[in-house]
Amino acid sequence: MDDIVKQALAKWPNVPDCYGWLGLDARGRWFMRDDAAQAAGDFPQSRGSWLRHEKLIDFIGRNYESDDEGRWFFQNGPQRVYVELECTPWVWQVLPDYRLQSHTGLQSSAEECLLDEEGRLYIASPQGLGLVHSQDMVLAAEAVEQGVWVPRDVVSADLPVQYGFVRSPAKSQRR
């Protein structure tokens, strides 16, 4: 977490949390969801505006964490902005040596490989569960063919409970 964020948290410890305003899609792209996007439907059906400002994306990535309930958030100064997930909290790119790099730039390694009913490939890492980026399926297939990763069949709807994350903190907040 950035020092400036830690300082803001110390200065303003009781800022209300924010729900529904930020989304992460299955390709690792961030979306800002204003009132109109939220009124048009839940994420990802109503995505909002694709964030493309590199410094903002880097700032979000450096301050992206989860709470004890498995809800992922971006700590924006003193305010916690909960993230709506299209799929998983991480989106992995596969490097040529089969190590992983997340949508936030974090390097990691595979602990478990999973394949769901729709043919999507997931990797569980020390940081948590992530979907393999669709553009990296050639390298992922090589890892599977070489026995580096051995996929286990899973049902995608079961993944949040099995791996401890919440796809929609906004929906869980409404209950």
Side-chain angles (χ1 to χ4, degrees):
M1 187 179 297
D2 288 0
D3 285 338
I4 195 165
V5 172
K6 291 177 186 173
Q7 292 168 8
L9 277 167
K11 188 172 183 178
W12 299 290
N14 299 315
V15 174
D17 296 336
C18 179
Y19 293 87
W21 285 82
L22 187 62
L24 177 68
D25 79 356
R27 295 178 65 90
R29 298 176 299 190
W30 297 104
F31 289 84
M32 182 61 65
R33 304 183 69 244
D34 62 12
D35 284 330
Q38 290 180 55
D42 293 332
F43 189 79
Q45 289 73 30
S46 177
R47 292 182 186 273
S49 301
W50 180 14
L51 296 180
R52 297 179 188 212
H53 190 279
E54 286 186 36
K55 290 189 186 278
L56 175 58
I57 292 166
D58 290 345
F59 180 64
I60 292 170
R62 288 192 311 273
N63 297 285
Y64 180 59
E65 301 179 12
S66 67
D67 67 14
D68 293 339
E69 296 176 37
R71 300 175 302 174
W72 286 80
F73 63 89
F74 155 51
Q75 190 67 49
N76 184 23
Q79 186 169 51
R80 192 170 275 193
V81 178
Y82 282 96
V83 178
E84 298 294 295
L85 304 172
E86 180 174 355
C87 196
T88 59
W90 299 104
V91 177
W92 299 120
Q93 293 178 317
V94 182
L95 302 175
D97 62 358
Y98 309 128
R99 284 182 304 119
L100 306 168
Q101 180 170 305
S102 76
H103 64 283
T104 65
L106 177 75
Q107 300 270 322
S108 193
S109 59
E111 292 182 332
E112 188 177 17
C113 181
L114 312 166
L115 183 67
D116 77 7
E117 67 279 4
E118 294 184 28
R120 292 178 294 199
L121 194 66
Y122 304 86
I123 299 292
S125 77
Q127 290 72 31
L129 186 69
L131 178 69
V132 173
H133 195 289
S134 60
Q135 291 181 326
D136 289 0
M137 290 309 292
V138 170
L139 277 172
E142 287 176 14
V144 170
E145 287 172 355
Q146 293 179 18
V148 176
W149 299 344
V150 179
R152 176 174 63 84
D153 290 338
V154 295
V155 175
S156 61
D158 297 339
L159 294 175
V161 171
Q162 289 176 358
Y163 289 88
F165 65 93
V166 175
R167 283 199 176 118
S168 179
K171 281 184 186 174
S172 67
Q173 182 66 11
R174 287 183 225 146
R175 293 182 185 144

